[in-house]
Amino acid sequence: NHRQWKLKRNRVKPTRATRDKLRQQECAARSREFRAAYREARAAQLAGEPGTIPYGPYWQVRFHRVDVEPRPPGMDPYTVL
């Protein structure tokens, strides 16, 4: 039923799609940290200052050839930030 699908949609964000509340909080914190670091690095980049973007943004690496921080140790390369 279309209505049921619409009601269930977007209840869980894909960046923290887990039933474990502690894990959701960890994912949310990691996501906030990434967005803050990215916002800061992107502002510096637009101002013409050298710097590195936090690990994760494929598009920036692939098409804009920016410097990106190395993947954090122990992090699965397929982890969503």
Side-chain angles (χ1 to χ4, degrees), residues 39-70:
R39 198 172 22 249
E40 188 177 306
R42 182 75 175 128
Q45 183 185 34
L46 291 174
E49 300 171 12
T52 58
I53 300 269
Y55 175 79
Y58 168 78
W59 187 267
Q60 292 285 348
V61 175
R62 175 72 172 86
F63 297 103
H64 298 287
R65 309 278 187 203
V66 298
D67 292 330
V68 178
E69 294 175 359

